Amino acid sequence: MPERNGLGGRLVPGIALAAALIATPALAQEGASSTKADSSKTEALPLKIELNRLEPAGEACRTYMLVDNSRGPALKSLKVDLFAFDTEGVAQKRLAVELGPVQEKKTVVRLFDFAGLACPKIGRLLLNDVLTCEGGDATRETCLERIEPATKTSAAFDR
């Protein structure tokens, strides 16, 4: 077997060392990027809001909203702008509703009424906007991004 002395014998290990040194900063940068991505995921923890029940209350439709903040920080205030659409898709009522305060890692139920609107006429509830979101470093925009609407009723609920 021939000996690997001379230029050829030193060149191959030198190339391998250079390749390792070049790859190391790229791997370190990739690791830092994934750490940043992981931390941004924790900042955007879901805030689940479920249209849980609709029931007649005189001339109004009583609405039960389940606010699941079981994975997020406390919110002093969470005020949302809602539109109720009829089963034909026509906007019927607009309502600003305070769903807060919501403690950290807590789920709460909030009730409110759509006055003058019968429950069977509600085909869809739209989370039009977040009007106020206070607590920690929360903003209207970050709260809106975190909200995951769901429904247990025949009416759709979305944003």
Side-chain angles (χ1 to χ4, degrees):
M1 183 175 257
E3 239 179 83
R4 293 226 170 185
N5 292 336
L7 186 59
R10 289 185 300 239
L11 188 57
V12 173
I15 291 172
L17 178 61
L21 290 174
I22 291 169
T24 302
L27 290 173
Q29 186 175 5
E30 184 179 300
S33 296
S34 67
T35 302
K36 286 179 188 173
D38 292 344
S39 69
S40 69
K41 284 180 189 173
T42 57
E43 290 172 11
L45 294 171
L47 176 61
K48 297 177 183 176
I49 300 179
E50 177 185 274
L51 176 57
N52 185 269
R53 183 175 174 184
L54 298 173
E55 75 177 7
E59 296 293 317
C61 181
R62 179 146 303 143
T63 306
Y64 291 72
M65 284 288 207
L66 185 83
V67 183
D68 180 355
N69 192 34
S70 60
R71 295 175 42 197
L75 297 173
K76 293 178 195 171
S77 175
L78 176 60
K79 191 171 190 176
V80 296
D81 178 27
L82 299 173
F83 269 93
F85 291 80
D86 66 15
T87 54
E88 305 291 316
V90 178
Q92 295 296 310
K93 292 282 182 178
R94 181 179 188 188
L95 193 59
V97 179
E98 176 62 63
L99 298 176
V102 184
Q103 295 176 6
E104 177 179 8
K105 298 180 181 176
K106 178 80 174 109
T107 300
V108 296
V109 176
R110 301 289 187 234
L111 284 71
F112 55 91
D113 293 348
F114 276 102
L117 187 59
C119 293
K121 287 194 168 205
I122 297 178
R124 176 180 175 216
L125 196 60
L126 173 69
L127 174 65
N128 193 50
D129 201 359
V130 171
L131 302 173
T132 307
C133 186
E134 298 172 358
D137 57 356
T139 65
R140 283 182 48 249
E141 294 80 14
T142 58
C143 278
L144 185 58
E145 290 171 12
R146 286 182 57 205
I147 292 175
E148 294 179 359
T151 186
K152 292 236 184 211
T153 71
S154 60
F157 179 47
D158 53 31
R159 60 180 181 127

